[in-house]
Amino acid sequence: SRVELSDINDNAPNFTQSSYSAYVMENNVIGSSIFSVTAFDPDLNQNSRLSYSILESRGQDLPISSYVHINSETGVIYSQKTFDYEQLTSFQIRVRAEDSGTVP
């Protein structure tokens, strides 16, 4: 006799670090990769499949999505514009990682 157990979605994704810092040279190429974040979920199969997104906020007078976007599958963050140090010295983004499972 054999018993098979199935995994339930009982773990939330966690980032490998609580915060990250990236330094980007001004006059960067639009669309270039500027950083990458990584999260892990110890569940199995779709319960561990992650999707990354940037939580909307504002940098200067523009929405953060006008500065950067994230590849939802890989966590790689890309520039949406050329950065000019005289206009913008720093900004913060918040990234969310969600798994594809359903909550038990």
Side-chain angles (χ1 to χ4, degrees), residues 39-57:
F40 292 99
D41 187 323
D43 289 319
L44 300 175
N45 302 320
Q46 84 171 30
N47 292 339
S48 68
R49 200 167 304 128
L50 300 180
S51 176
Y52 297 94
S53 59
I54 293 177
L55 299 176
E56 195 56 64
S57 62

Side-chain angles (χ1 to χ4, degrees), residues 13-103:
N14 288 304
F15 286 95
T16 56
Q17 295 175 224
S18 59
S19 67
Y20 299 82
S21 293
Y23 299 92
V24 179
M25 297 295 290
E26 69 176 336
N27 302 320
N28 57 297
V29 175
I30 295 173
S32 60
S33 167
I34 58 173
F35 201 68
S36 177
V37 295
T38 304
F40 292 99
D41 187 323
D43 289 319
L44 300 175
N45 302 320
Q46 84 171 30
N47 292 339
S48 68
R49 200 167 304 128
L50 300 180
S51 176
Y52 297 94
S53 59
I54 293 177
L55 299 176
E56 195 56 64
S57 62
R58 297 187 79 73
Q60 299 282 56
D61 293 330
L62 300 171
I64 208 68
S65 58
S66 69
Y67 293 94
V68 294
H69 80 277
I70 192 166
N71 180 307
S72 63
E73 294 179 8
T74 65
V76 176
I77 298 169
Y78 297 93
S79 64
Q80 292 281 87
K81 64 186 303 174
T82 297
F83 301 119
D84 182 351
Y85 183 82
E86 285 73 31
Q87 294 180 7
L88 180 70
T89 57
S90 68
F91 62 92
Q92 292 184 342
I93 61 173
R94 293 182 53 197
V95 176
R96 174 186 307 185
E98 294 181 288
D99 61 38
S100 300
T102 55
V103 178

Side-chain angles (χ1 to χ4, degrees), residues 8-11 102-104:
I8 64 169
N9 189 29
D10 57 348
N11 293 290
T102 55
V103 178

